[in-house]
Amino acid sequence: MMAGERNPASCYLDERTFQLCCQLFLQHSETIQDGWSWEQIKGTDEGFMKKTVLMPVKPSVLHKQHEYSIQDENMVTDDIQANVEDETAGVQAVCEIHAVLRYEYHVLYSCSYQIPVLYFRASTLDGRPLSLEEVWSNVHPNYRQRLQQGPWDTLTQQEHPLLGQPFFMLHPCRTEEFMKPALDLAQAENKRMNYIVTWLSVVGPVLRLDVPLSYSTEVSAPD
Amino acid sequence: MSDNAESPTETQKDDPSIQHAATEQTGASDEKKKIDVLLKAVGDAPIMKTKKWSVERGRTVQSLAQFISRFLKLEASEQLFIYVNQSFAPSPDQEVGVLFECFGSDGKLVLHYCKSQAWG
């Protein structure tokens, strides 16, 4: 069970529990070198988790913008740049047929919603930020149709609450509908669960963020 | 591959790689290609009349979710969520065979599912 401050019927998370869950999550990330890190805001007790990923995508993801008339040339540039930059050695093999995007994911705590929220920014390798349309093109097909047809803006451009830079945000208003069942289930089975592991396993894949299965078994819940 | 579930629905005919799990043991080669999945409803999700299914190992979570959604006749605006190990959502691209290797016990993989609200 999570500590008594959580109402069993509620899916809300207090900030301290958020931070504890993140620290446990980060320990496992360190173990499997999954690339997550904690960013503490200097002079405060606030912080967030972040991870940067290089992601090959089908070139059609980048066909949704108006400014660039020569799409192919833009993609070829990406390919060539990726080939000469040694630090992206891992993606050279896929550069011939894919474009490569850089996604930076941030897991923040929202005081107003009292739940975690996923922020991210995305760009091509030459630093061009993706448009909202292009980001939508890269939302996982399993979720895209339903989210796009929803009655509110699921993906919005927001100023990062702690950094003040433009990011995209996955709107958290529906968090309860996928967290509550998992929380109720854990409670019924008298098992504790790590809120961040469960939450990220659901929202991550929507935005192409992979959360390895080992998080499910190797990360403990906070006391 | 006979079974004691009700007659096949139209959706089942479209999906030969997902079949009612047989009560009798099938041949050895079938057992290797397919794994047994037990579907459990959570919250106010509709309960599947047939809970036990044989699924090809290579089938993805997304594909299984689509099958369940059609079987339960969910609306297009309703999202199905699937959990393994009770509180972890596997990636939609994950193969059920891998999930079985990690979380299967007593010869089956237990998956919990719930659904979101429809719009409006």
Side-chain angles (χ1 to χ4, degrees):
Chain A
M1 288 292 207
M2 290 171 74
E5 63 263 22
R6 182 176 72 79
N7 179 345
S10 141
C11 72
Y12 300 112
L13 185 69
D14 66 276
E15 188 160 13
R16 168 134 182 83
T17 308
F18 165 79
Q19 296 194 352
L20 289 171
C21 289
C22 287
Q23 294 311 319
L24 292 162
F25 181 96
L26 288 161
Q27 280 172 22
H28 184 63
S29 172
E30 187 73 33
T31 304
I32 63 171
Q33 295 189 25
D34 195 31
W36 287 93
S37 63
W38 181 259
E39 300 292 313
Q40 190 80 16
I41 303 300
K42 221 168 153 188
T44 76
D45 53 6
E46 286 180 287
F48 58 93
M49 293 203 304
K50 88 170 197 189
K51 176 177 174 178
T52 299
V53 172
L54 290 176
M55 172 191 316
V57 296
K58 289 181 184 164
S60 56
V61 168
L62 292 177
H63 278 177
K64 307 295 182 186
Q65 29 154 1
H66 314 295
E67 304 93 326
Y68 293 76
S69 52
I70 308 169
Q71 305 290 350
D72 290 344
E73 188 180 90
N74 197 38
M75 283 184 311
V76 168
T77 306
D78 283 340
D79 291 349
I80 292 170
Q81 285 201 339
N83 271 322
V84 300
E85 288 169 12
D86 282 349
E87 53 266 28
T88 60
V91 302
Q92 283 176 23
V94 299
C95 281
E96 290 106 64
I97 52 168
H98 287 79
V100 179
L101 302 180
R102 183 178 177 275
Y103 266 65
E104 186 180 332
Y105 302 95
H106 290 201
V107 173
L108 268 71
Y109 180 75
S110 165
C111 295
S112 45
Y113 285 99
Q114 296 210 303
I115 46 177
V117 184
L118 187 62
Y119 283 77
F120 67 99
R121 53 186 170 189
S123 64
T124 61
L125 285 184
D126 59 2
R128 177 181 73 72
L130 260 60
S131 66
L132 182 60
E133 239 186 339
E134 288 171 315
V135 165
W136 269 116
S137 299
N138 201 30
V139 167
H140 196 288
N142 191 49
Y143 305 97
R144 190 185 314 151
Q145 189 184 9
R146 180 182 173 264
L147 289 178
Q148 269 184 315
Q149 289 169 4
W152 58 80
D153 296 327
T154 311
L155 274 183
T156 54
Q157 285 169 296
Q158 295 277 328
E159 189 180 275
H160 191 290
L162 299 174
L163 300 180
Q165 295 164 11
F167 270 71
F168 293 105
M169 180 191 79
L170 190 62
H171 204 285
C173 62
R174 287 286 201 169
T175 299
E176 183 169 8
E177 67 184 10
F178 62 81
M179 285 306 297
K180 191 174 187 312
L183 291 163
D184 288 346
L185 198 55
Q187 195 171 32
E189 305 275 330
N190 214 25
K191 282 186 182 176
R192 289 157 28 181
M193 45 167 267
N194 185 302
Y195 192 108
I196 291 298
V197 170
T198 297
W199 171 82
L200 197 58
S201 74
V202 177
V203 301
V206 176
L207 295 167
R208 307 290 188 172
L209 170 64
D210 185 48
V211 181
L213 291 173
S214 60
Y215 281 98
S216 166
T217 49
E218 300 306 311
V219 181
S220 50
D223 294 328
Chain B
M1 216 176 296
S2 63
D3 58 78
N4 60 358
E6 57 266 38
S7 56
T9 61
E10 189 178 345
T11 54
Q12 197 202 339
K13 282 179 190 159
D14 295 338
D15 276 311
S17 67
I18 298 180
Q19 294 176 305
H20 298 303
T23 50
E24 315 270 330
Q25 284 299 318
T26 56
S29 58
D30 271 343
E31 281 176 323
K32 282 178 185 164
K33 287 181 202 162
K34 295 189 178 186
I35 54 130
D36 282 347
V37 172
L38 180 62
L39 297 173
K40 292 190 171 181
V42 186
D44 56 3
I47 298 173
M48 305 264 292
K49 281 183 187 163
T50 306
K51 297 177 178 55
K52 203 170 174 195
W53 295 86
S54 282
V55 183
E56 275 181 7
R57 285 175 175 271
R59 194 97 181 187
T60 63
V61 168
Q62 176 177 353
S63 167
L64 182 62
Q66 282 167 356
F67 173 82
I68 298 170
S69 297
R70 289 201 301 271
F71 197 90
L72 295 175
K73 296 183 168 51
L74 296 190
E75 296 175 34
S77 61
E78 289 179 297
Q79 181 83 52
L80 194 79
F81 297 103
I82 290 180
Y83 302 90
V84 73
N85 201 25
Q86 292 167 341
S87 59
F88 189 86
S91 160
D93 303 321
Q94 186 63 266
E95 292 179 4
V96 296
V98 173
L99 295 181
F100 179 80
E101 295 306 318
C102 295
F103 303 104
S105 68
D106 296 331
K108 64 184 186 297
L109 173 67
V110 174
L111 295 177
H112 288 90
Y113 66 91
C114 66
K115 71 173 179 70
S116 66
Q117 303 294 323
W119 302 127

